[in-house]
Amino acid sequence: MPAEIIQIKNLRVKYGEIEALSDVSFDIISGDYVGIVGPNGSGKSTLIKSILGLIPFEGKIIFQGETLSDFILKNNIGYLPQKMSFIDQRFPATAMEIVVSGLYCQKKFPKRVTKNDYKSAGEIMETLGISGLADRSIGKLSGGQQQRILLARALIHSPRLLILDEPTVALDPQSRDTFASIIKKLNSEHGVTILLVSHDSGSMGKYASKLLYLDRKVVFYGTFDNFCRSDEMTKYF
Ligand code: ADP
Ligand code: MG
């Protein structure tokens, strides 16, 4: 198995006349925790969407020699998107049902939920410390609790790579810390490769093993220590 889980080569993305990303190249190594930072509009979400095949791009993104769809089919990617509008209070589903729904995309018709599915959901909820919420109505939970339910949903098929786009923007500082330590633990104890976009470059150093500083192109990619000693650091902060 190659050490690179994803290789990105000369990635370029345009929205009409706007070039959101130009000539972006870097590799994500299996087991890394990569923190992506950069100013607003620097192309962070565009990069994530390109990796997930959600928008057209020029250049190459290589998934260990497989196509993106084969790679995803083998359950290799969990994704928590940037937009987190809180769920309506009356939304008719329990937390457990939301977590189990993370398995639907892999199921063939008729999409039936099995006892084993509930068992997997129970296990991941236990790992994330949210077992107690299982039977609660999702709309009645706090923002931090909902976010952890959605994380459990993204993790239920045991992805090797977890991609998160500003997952804690809407959370209070305490929920933010809890969430950050859960992600850190997934990386260090369960070996999940993490790609996390954050607006908070300061706290990134505490968690990430590598930093990708993006500003339409790669300004810096490497360890946090090296970033602190780099010219880019002085130029940008
Ligand atoms: P970030 O996530 O770093 O804030 P984005 O990747 O969302 O940045 O956006 C990068 C640039 O591309 C911005 O200038 C933004 O306005 C533009 N952009 C993003 N999405 C679209 C879109 N769907 N259509 C047109 N322009 C877009
Ligand atoms: Mg964004």
Side-chain angles (χ1 to χ4, degrees):
M1 180 110 8
E4 299 89 13
I5 192 160
I6 297 180
Q7 293 166 282
I8 294 169
K9 295 187 197 290
N10 310 110
L11 179 68
R12 180 187 304 275
V13 178
K14 281 184 163 178
Y15 297 108
E17 288 302 296
I18 301 173
E19 191 164 81
L21 291 175
S22 83
D23 205 27
V24 168
S25 300
F26 68 101
D27 294 343
I28 300 164
I29 308 295
S30 185
D32 267 358
Y33 182 153
V34 180
I36 304 177
V37 297
N40 262 334
S42 59
K44 302 181 296 296
S45 295
T46 299
L47 172 63
I48 299 295
K49 288 178 195 160
S50 311
I51 293 174
L52 291 163
L54 301 174
I55 52 170
F57 59 82
E58 290 168 44
K60 273 195 176 154
I61 303 181
I62 302 166
F63 301 87
Q64 303 189 325
E66 304 194 43
T67 62
L68 170 66
S69 49
D70 281 348
F71 189 79
I72 290 179
L73 269 179
K74 291 181 182 166
N75 305 322
N76 284 311
I77 302 185
Y79 173 45
L80 207 55
Q82 170 167 9
K83 194 168 166 290
M84 171 63 195
S85 47
F86 289 108
I87 298 161
D88 190 282
Q89 283 226 354
R90 289 157 303 181
F91 191 80
T94 64
M96 175 62 104
E97 285 161 352
I98 297 287
V99 177
V100 165
S101 74
L103 290 167
Y104 286 175
C105 62
Q106 302 169 238
K107 285 186 186 285
K108 300 206 172 72
F109 283 101
K111 295 185 182 252
R112 264 198 209 103
V113 180
T114 65
K115 262 192 190 152
N116 261 339
D117 296 343
Y118 279 102
K119 193 164 159 260
S120 313
E123 283 164 9
I124 187 67
M125 290 173 86
E126 177 104 42
T127 308
L128 301 187
I130 47 175
S131 301
L133 305 177
D135 297 325
R136 301 270 301 277
S137 170
I138 182 80
K140 300 221 167 87
L141 300 177
S142 74
Q145 289 170 327
Q146 287 184 3
Q147 189 67 321
R148 273 189 278 170
I149 300 294
L150 294 176
L151 178 65
R153 184 181 186 277
L155 289 171
I156 189 169
H157 52 60
S158 311
R160 284 174 49 218
L161 172 65
L162 179 64
I163 298 180
L164 311 105
D165 194 351
E166 306 211 29
T168 59
V169 163
L171 304 184
D172 60 80
Q174 199 201 329
S175 313
R176 222 174 261 188
D177 287 346
T178 311
F179 196 84
S181 38
I182 290 171
I183 303 295
K184 178 76 198 159
K185 208 164 145 188
L186 284 169
N187 176 250
S188 57
E189 290 177 22
H190 300 266
V192 181
T193 306
I194 308 282
L195 200 57
L196 185 144
V197 173
S198 176
H199 58 289
D200 180 8
S201 38
S203 70
M204 221 49 239
K206 264 198 291 190
Y207 303 108
S209 55
K210 280 188 190 148
L211 194 77
L212 176 72
Y213 196 102
L214 203 64
D215 198 355
R216 289 168 193 267
K217 54 188 182 46
V218 177
V219 176
F220 177 89
Y221 183 51
T223 63
F224 202 78
D225 282 352
N226 284 342
F227 179 66
C228 294
R229 283 190 238 118
S230 67
D231 293 343
E232 287 85 1
M233 158 89 187
T234 5
K235 211 160 41 186
Y236 273 82
F237 292 98

